[in-house]
Short mmCIF file of all heavy atoms in Angstrom, two decimals:
data_model
loop_
_atom_site.label_atom_id
_atom_site.label_comp_id
_atom_site.label_asym_id
_atom_site.label_seq_id
_atom_site.Cartn_x
_atom_site.Cartn_y
_atom_site.Cartn_z
N ASN A 121 19.51 -14.35 4.63
CA ASN A 121 19.32 -15.41 3.66
C ASN A 121 20.16 -16.65 3.97
O ASN A 121 20.34 -17.52 3.12
CB ASN A 121 19.62 -14.90 2.24
CG ASN A 121 21.06 -14.43 2.09
OD1 ASN A 121 21.83 -14.41 3.04
ND2 ASN A 121 21.41 -14.02 0.89
N ALA A 122 20.65 -16.74 5.20
CA ALA A 122 21.47 -17.89 5.61
C ALA A 122 20.63 -19.17 5.59
O ALA A 122 19.43 -19.14 5.90
CB ALA A 122 22.04 -17.66 7.01
N PRO A 123 21.25 -20.29 5.25
CA PRO A 123 20.51 -21.55 5.30
C PRO A 123 20.09 -21.88 6.72
O PRO A 123 20.78 -21.52 7.68
CB PRO A 123 21.51 -22.57 4.77
CG PRO A 123 22.81 -21.90 4.63
CD PRO A 123 22.62 -20.44 4.80
N ASN A 124 18.98 -22.55 6.85
CA ASN A 124 18.46 -23.02 8.14
C ASN A 124 18.05 -21.88 9.08
O ASN A 124 18.07 -22.05 10.30
CB ASN A 124 19.46 -23.94 8.83
CG ASN A 124 19.89 -25.08 7.94
OD1 ASN A 124 19.08 -25.66 7.24
ND2 ASN A 124 21.18 -25.37 7.94
N LEU A 125 17.70 -20.75 8.53
CA LEU A 125 17.17 -19.62 9.30
C LEU A 125 15.72 -19.41 8.89
O LEU A 125 15.42 -19.25 7.70
CB LEU A 125 17.96 -18.34 9.04
CG LEU A 125 17.41 -17.06 9.68
CD1 LEU A 125 17.43 -17.16 11.21
CD2 LEU A 125 18.18 -15.85 9.21
N THR A 126 14.84 -19.41 9.87
CA THR A 126 13.42 -19.15 9.62
C THR A 126 13.01 -17.90 10.36
O THR A 126 13.27 -17.76 11.56
CB THR A 126 12.55 -20.34 10.10
OG1 THR A 126 13.02 -21.53 9.47
CG2 THR A 126 11.09 -20.12 9.77
N GLU A 127 12.38 -16.98 9.65
CA GLU A 127 11.90 -15.72 10.25
C GLU A 127 10.38 -15.72 10.21
O GLU A 127 9.78 -15.90 9.15
CB GLU A 127 12.44 -14.52 9.48
CG GLU A 127 11.99 -13.20 10.06
CD GLU A 127 12.64 -12.00 9.37
OE1 GLU A 127 13.69 -12.16 8.73
OE2 GLU A 127 12.07 -10.92 9.48
N THR A 128 9.77 -15.52 11.38
CA THR A 128 8.32 -15.46 11.49
C THR A 128 7.94 -14.10 12.05
O THR A 128 8.38 -13.74 13.15
CB THR A 128 7.79 -16.58 12.43
OG1 THR A 128 8.28 -17.84 11.97
CG2 THR A 128 6.28 -16.58 12.47
N SER A 129 7.17 -13.33 11.31
CA SER A 129 6.75 -12.01 11.77
C SER A 129 5.85 -12.13 12.99
O SER A 129 5.05 -13.06 13.09
CB SER A 129 5.99 -11.27 10.66
OG SER A 129 6.86 -10.97 9.61
N LEU A 130 5.99 -11.20 13.92
CA LEU A 130 5.16 -11.16 15.11
C LEU A 130 4.31 -9.90 15.10
O LEU A 130 4.77 -8.83 14.68
CB LEU A 130 6.02 -11.16 16.38
CG LEU A 130 6.91 -12.37 16.61
CD1 LEU A 130 7.77 -12.16 17.86
CD2 LEU A 130 6.08 -13.63 16.75
N THR A 131 3.10 -10.02 15.55
CA THR A 131 2.21 -8.87 15.68
C THR A 131 2.33 -8.35 17.10
O THR A 131 2.14 -9.10 18.06
CB THR A 131 0.76 -9.26 15.38
OG1 THR A 131 0.71 -9.81 14.06
CG2 THR A 131 -0.16 -8.06 15.47
N THR A 132 2.66 -7.07 17.23
CA THR A 132 2.77 -6.45 18.55
C THR A 132 1.93 -5.19 18.58
O THR A 132 1.43 -4.73 17.55
CB THR A 132 4.24 -6.10 18.89
OG1 THR A 132 4.68 -5.07 18.00
CG2 THR A 132 5.15 -7.31 18.79
N ILE A 133 1.80 -4.61 19.74
CA ILE A 133 1.01 -3.39 19.88
C ILE A 133 1.72 -2.19 19.24
O ILE A 133 1.08 -1.24 18.81
CB ILE A 133 0.70 -3.12 21.37
CG1 ILE A 133 -0.38 -2.06 21.49
CG2 ILE A 133 1.95 -2.75 22.13
CD1 ILE A 133 -0.96 -1.93 22.87
N ASP A 134 3.05 -2.23 19.15
CA ASP A 134 3.83 -1.13 18.58
C ASP A 134 3.95 -1.30 17.07
O ASP A 134 4.74 -2.10 16.58
CB ASP A 134 5.21 -1.11 19.22
CG ASP A 134 6.05 0.09 18.79
OD1 ASP A 134 5.63 0.80 17.85
OD2 ASP A 134 7.11 0.30 19.40
N LYS A 135 3.19 -0.54 16.34
CA LYS A 135 3.18 -0.64 14.87
C LYS A 135 4.33 0.14 14.22
O LYS A 135 4.50 0.10 13.02
CB LYS A 135 1.84 -0.13 14.30
CG LYS A 135 0.65 -0.91 14.82
CD LYS A 135 0.75 -2.38 14.49
CE LYS A 135 -0.46 -3.12 15.00
NZ LYS A 135 -0.25 -4.54 15.14
N THR A 136 5.14 0.84 15.03
CA THR A 136 6.27 1.57 14.47
C THR A 136 7.52 0.71 14.40
O THR A 136 8.52 1.12 13.83
CB THR A 136 6.59 2.84 15.28
OG1 THR A 136 7.02 2.47 16.59
CG2 THR A 136 5.38 3.75 15.36
N ARG A 137 7.49 -0.47 15.01
CA ARG A 137 8.64 -1.38 14.99
C ARG A 137 8.20 -2.75 14.54
O ARG A 137 7.25 -3.31 15.06
CB ARG A 137 9.25 -1.50 16.39
CG ARG A 137 9.99 -0.27 16.81
CD ARG A 137 10.69 -0.47 18.14
NE ARG A 137 11.30 0.76 18.55
CZ ARG A 137 10.64 1.76 19.13
NH1 ARG A 137 9.38 1.65 19.40
NH2 ARG A 137 11.26 2.87 19.44
N SER A 138 8.92 -3.31 13.59
CA SER A 138 8.61 -4.66 13.15
C SER A 138 9.36 -5.65 14.05
O SER A 138 10.53 -5.44 14.37
CB SER A 138 9.01 -4.84 11.69
OG SER A 138 10.37 -4.54 11.51
N SER A 139 8.67 -6.69 14.46
CA SER A 139 9.25 -7.71 15.33
C SER A 139 9.11 -9.08 14.68
O SER A 139 8.21 -9.30 13.87
CB SER A 139 8.53 -7.74 16.68
OG SER A 139 8.70 -6.53 17.36
N ALA A 140 10.00 -9.97 15.06
CA ALA A 140 9.97 -11.31 14.50
C ALA A 140 10.50 -12.32 15.50
O ALA A 140 11.07 -11.96 16.53
CB ALA A 140 10.81 -11.37 13.22
#
Side-chain angles (χ1 to χ4, degrees):
N121 61 357
N124 307 318
L125 174 64
T126 304
E127 181 175 339
T128 306
S129 293
L130 298 176
T131 302
T132 66
I133 194 168
D134 186 349
K135 301 301 181 200
T136 65
R137 287 186 184 80
S138 57
S139 296

